[in-house]
Amino acid sequence: VNADSPDKSRSGTGAGAAGGTIKPSFSARLKPLLVECESAWIGSRMVRLGAWVASWDLAAGGSVDAPIGRHPTQRTKMAVNHAGKPAVTHYRVLARFEKFTFIACRLETGRTHQIRVHMAHVKHPLTGDPVYSGRLATPAGASTELQQMLRSFKRQALHASRLLLNHPITGVRIELQSDLPDDLVKLLRLLGDGKYTAAELNQMAWPEVAESQ
């Protein structure tokens, strides 16, 4: 069970078995028991015509409630489709940068490519997403290092930071956490011109979760 399952190019927590296989009977019991998950991602803002929207145009928080199904003409893609299955994604802004925003997402459902599809649907696609994102934006006055980092970032900037589930056999609550990988930390630090340390970026969490800890 992945935060945005199934997505091989995102990083972070997941539930599986050694060797990458899960018995069908175990998998069937595991999937419905996913009770909460959070993902951190960096989203670039692009409107349909390719004009880049300033980061403050994204509300501090909100929800996307839109069904997801197969794209009507591009069958390898998913899309918001009224004939699809119900899908709900909640999001909060963690940090703002020029033309980019660091976001936390919480899923009520686990549709294929859900975060990627929902954020692209509201015109805030994930940075580095080769399927659902558009032309890459480079902030005005960006350093050479940041420009090179953005051009060379070859995966979606999506990380599953926290996963909560009830064990399908024992019923014990299991919590999995994963720090941001080095490539995302480097990208965020470059976007923020060194404003945040790696530790500070990893401490950012969904507000309700942070208050309860």
Side-chain angles (χ1 to χ4, degrees):
V1 179
N2 292 330
D4 193 29
S5 60
D7 258 326
K8 294 181 180 179
S9 61
R10 69 109 175 111
S11 57
T13 61
T21 61
I22 304 177
K23 292 183 178 179
S25 58
F26 183 86
S27 179
R29 283 180 285 177
L30 178 64
K31 291 187 70 174
L33 294 173
L34 176 64
V35 293
E36 178 183 358
C37 95
E38 294 176 39
S39 294
W41 61 271
I42 307 167
S44 56
R45 282 136 314 288
M46 187 185 72
V47 299
R48 188 178 300 276
L49 298 178
W52 292 96
V53 182
S55 59
W56 51 83
D57 282 353
L58 178 64
S63 299
V64 183
D65 185 350
I68 292 177
R70 287 289 171 187
H71 192 284
T73 59
Q74 302 177 55
R75 304 303 292 173
T76 59
K77 295 176 60 175
M78 308 301 289
V80 168
N81 184 333
H82 294 295
K85 296 180 180 179
V88 180
T89 302
H90 305 289
Y91 67 88
R92 293 289 184 275
V93 171
L94 302 179
R96 300 182 188 275
F97 312 104
E98 185 176 353
K99 296 187 177 179
F100 295 87
T101 309
F102 185 33
I103 304 289
C105 289
R106 176 176 290 173
L107 307 184
E108 283 191 18
T109 52
R111 308 304 174 205
T112 300
H113 299 177
Q114 179 172 319
I115 293 175
R116 299 165 65 190
V117 171
H118 271 173
M119 293 301 105
H121 178 65
V122 295
K123 307 300 185 291
H124 297 275
L126 275 63
T127 297
D129 190 336
V131 178
Y132 300 102
S133 186
R135 183 172 59 86
L136 177 68
T138 302
S143 66
T144 300
E145 187 177 10
L146 175 55
Q147 292 181 45
Q148 292 175 344
M149 182 71 181
L150 287 170
R151 293 194 197 100
S152 62
F153 204 86
K154 299 301 183 182
R155 71 173 182 91
Q156 50 187 288
L158 176 64
H159 175 75
S161 60
R162 188 167 182 259
L163 178 68
L164 291 177
L165 55 89
N166 295 325
H167 193 283
I169 297 175
T170 66
V172 173
R173 175 67 61 90
I174 299 172
E175 178 176 344
L176 304 175
Q177 294 191 18
S178 174
D179 285 345
L180 294 169
D182 291 343
D183 60 346
L184 284 183
V185 169
K186 181 178 180 180
L187 179 57
L188 285 163
R189 284 180 50 78
L190 286 172
L191 287 170
D193 197 22
K195 179 179 180 180
Y196 301 104
T197 66
E200 289 171 332
L201 291 169
N202 278 306
Q203 287 172 357
M204 292 181 181
W206 193 267
E208 294 81 12
V209 173
E211 291 170 3
S212 66
Q213 290 178 342

